[in-house]
CSV table of all heavy atoms in Angstrom, one decimal:
chain,number,residue,atom,x,y,z
M,5,VAL,N,2.6,9.0,-16.0
M,5,VAL,CA,2.6,8.5,-14.6
M,5,VAL,C,3.0,9.6,-13.7
M,5,VAL,O,4.1,10.2,-13.8
M,5,VAL,CB,3.5,7.3,-14.4
M,5,VAL,CG1,3.4,6.8,-12.9
M,5,VAL,CG2,3.0,6.1,-15.3
M,42,VAL,N,12.1,6.0,-19.4
M,42,VAL,CA,11.0,6.9,-19.4
M,42,VAL,C,11.4,8.3,-19.9
M,42,VAL,O,12.6,8.6,-19.9
M,42,VAL,CB,10.4,7.1,-18.0
M,42,VAL,CG1,10.0,5.8,-17.4
M,42,VAL,CG2,11.3,7.8,-17.1
M,55,LEU,N,2.5,22.9,-13.1
M,55,LEU,CA,2.1,21.9,-14.1
M,55,LEU,C,2.4,22.3,-15.5
M,55,LEU,O,2.0,21.7,-16.5
M,55,LEU,CB,0.6,21.7,-13.9
M,55,LEU,CG,0.1,20.9,-12.7
M,55,LEU,CD1,-1.4,21.1,-12.4
M,55,LEU,CD2,0.5,19.4,-12.7
M,89,PRO,N,-7.7,11.2,-22.1
M,89,PRO,CA,-9.1,10.8,-21.9
M,89,PRO,C,-9.5,9.9,-20.8
M,89,PRO,O,-10.6,9.6,-20.5
M,89,PRO,CB,-9.5,10.1,-23.3
M,89,PRO,CG,-8.2,9.5,-23.7
M,89,PRO,CD,-7.1,10.5,-23.3
M,96,THR,N,-7.0,3.9,-1.5
M,96,THR,CA,-6.8,2.9,-0.4
M,96,THR,C,-8.2,2.5,0.2
M,96,THR,O,-9.1,3.3,0.3
M,96,THR,CB,-6.0,3.6,0.7
M,96,THR,OG1,-6.0,2.8,1.9
M,96,THR,CG2,-6.5,5.0,1.1
M,125,PRO,N,0.6,16.4,3.1
M,125,PRO,CA,0.7,15.0,2.7
M,125,PRO,C,1.2,14.0,3.8
M,125,PRO,O,1.0,12.8,3.7
M,125,PRO,CB,1.6,15.0,1.5
M,125,PRO,CG,2.4,16.3,1.5
M,125,PRO,CD,1.5,17.2,2.2
M,128,PHE,N,-0.9,11.7,8.4
M,128,PHE,CA,-1.5,10.4,8.2
M,128,PHE,C,-2.8,10.2,8.9
M,128,PHE,O,-3.6,9.3,8.5
M,128,PHE,CB,-0.4,9.3,8.6
M,128,PHE,CG,0.8,9.3,7.7
M,128,PHE,CD1,2.0,10.0,8.2
M,128,PHE,CD2,0.8,8.8,6.5
M,128,PHE,CE1,3.1,10.0,7.4
M,128,PHE,CE2,1.9,8.8,5.7
M,128,PHE,CZ,3.0,9.4,6.1
M,146,TYR,N,-13.5,13.7,-14.4
M,146,TYR,CA,-13.5,12.8,-15.5
M,146,TYR,C,-14.8,12.1,-15.7
M,146,TYR,O,-15.1,11.6,-16.8
M,146,TYR,CB,-12.4,11.8,-15.4
M,146,TYR,CG,-11.1,12.2,-16.0
M,146,TYR,CD1,-10.3,13.1,-15.3
M,146,TYR,CD2,-10.7,11.8,-17.2
M,146,TYR,CE1,-9.1,13.6,-15.9
M,146,TYR,CE2,-9.5,12.2,-17.8
M,146,TYR,CZ,-8.7,13.1,-17.1
M,146,TYR,OH,-7.5,13.6,-17.7
M,148,PRO,N,-17.5,9.0,-14.0
M,148,PRO,CA,-17.3,7.6,-13.6
M,148,PRO,C,-16.8,6.6,-14.7
M,148,PRO,O,-16.1,5.7,-14.4
M,148,PRO,CB,-18.6,7.1,-13.0
M,148,PRO,CG,-19.6,8.0,-13.7
M,148,PRO,CD,-18.9,9.4,-13.9
M,160,VAL,N,2.6,-5.3,-0.5
M,160,VAL,CA,3.9,-5.8,-0.2
M,160,VAL,C,4.6,-6.0,-1.5
M,160,VAL,O,4.0,-5.9,-2.6
M,160,VAL,CB,3.9,-7.2,0.5
M,160,VAL,CG1,3.2,-7.0,1.9
M,160,VAL,CG2,3.2,-8.2,-0.3
M,182,VAL,N,11.3,-15.1,18.4
M,182,VAL,CA,10.7,-13.9,17.8
M,182,VAL,C,9.3,-13.8,18.4
M,182,VAL,O,8.5,-14.8,18.3
M,182,VAL,CB,10.6,-14.1,16.3
M,182,VAL,CG1,9.9,-12.9,15.7
M,182,VAL,CG2,12.0,-14.2,15.7
M,204,VAL,N,-4.0,-2.4,-12.5
M,204,VAL,CA,-4.2,-1.0,-13.0
M,204,VAL,C,-4.0,-0.9,-14.4
M,204,VAL,O,-4.8,-0.3,-15.2
M,204,VAL,CB,-3.3,-0.1,-12.1
M,204,VAL,CG1,-3.4,1.3,-12.7
M,204,VAL,CG2,-3.8,-0.1,-10.7
M,239,GLY,N,16.2,-18.6,5.9
M,239,GLY,CA,17.0,-19.7,6.3
M,239,GLY,C,17.5,-19.6,7.7
M,239,GLY,O,18.5,-20.2,8.1
M,244,PRO,N,9.2,-18.6,16.4
M,244,PRO,CA,8.1,-17.7,16.8
M,244,PRO,C,7.6,-18.1,18.2
M,244,PRO,O,7.4,-19.3,18.5
M,244,PRO,CB,7.1,-17.8,15.7
M,244,PRO,CG,7.3,-19.1,15.1
M,244,PRO,CD,8.8,-19.4,15.2
M,260,TRP,N,0.2,-3.2,14.6
M,260,TRP,CA,0.5,-2.5,13.3
M,260,TRP,C,1.8,-1.8,13.4
M,260,TRP,O,2.7,-2.0,12.6
M,260,TRP,CB,-0.7,-1.6,12.9
M,260,TRP,CG,-0.7,-1.4,11.4
M,260,TRP,CD1,-0.2,-0.3,10.7
M,260,TRP,CD2,-1.2,-2.3,10.4
M,260,TRP,NE1,-0.5,-0.4,9.4
M,260,TRP,CE2,-1.1,-1.6,9.1
M,260,TRP,CE3,-1.8,-3.5,10.5
M,260,TRP,CZ2,-1.5,-2.3,8.0
M,260,TRP,CZ3,-2.2,-4.1,9.3
M,260,TRP,CH2,-2.1,-3.5,8.1
M,303,GLU,N,14.9,-11.5,-1.4
M,303,GLU,CA,16.0,-11.4,-2.5
M,303,GLU,C,16.3,-9.9,-2.8
M,303,GLU,O,17.5,-9.6,-3.0
M,303,GLU,CB,15.5,-12.1,-3.7
M,303,GLU,CG,15.4,-13.6,-3.6
M,303,GLU,CD,14.8,-14.3,-4.8
M,303,GLU,OE1,14.5,-13.6,-5.8
M,303,GLU,OE2,14.6,-15.5,-4.7
M,328,GLN,N,12.7,-8.2,24.1
M,328,GLN,CA,13.3,-9.1,25.1
M,328,GLN,C,12.6,-8.9,26.4
M,328,GLN,O,12.4,-9.9,27.2
M,328,GLN,CB,14.8,-8.8,25.3
M,328,GLN,CG,15.6,-9.2,24.1
M,328,GLN,CD,15.4,-10.6,23.7
M,328,GLN,OE1,15.5,-11.5,24.5
M,328,GLN,NE2,15.2,-10.9,22.4
M,330,VAL,N,9.4,-8.2,26.8
M,330,VAL,CA,8.1,-8.8,26.7
M,330,VAL,C,8.3,-10.3,26.7
M,330,VAL,O,7.5,-11.1,27.4
M,330,VAL,CB,7.4,-8.4,25.4
M,330,VAL,CG1,6.1,-9.2,25.2
M,330,VAL,CG2,7.1,-6.9,25.4
Side-chain angles (χ1 to χ4, degrees):
V5 178
V42 306
L55 291 165
T96 169
F128 295 100
Y146 273 79
V160 299
V182 178
V204 169
W260 205 260
E303 290 172 5
Q328 292 307 311
V330 176

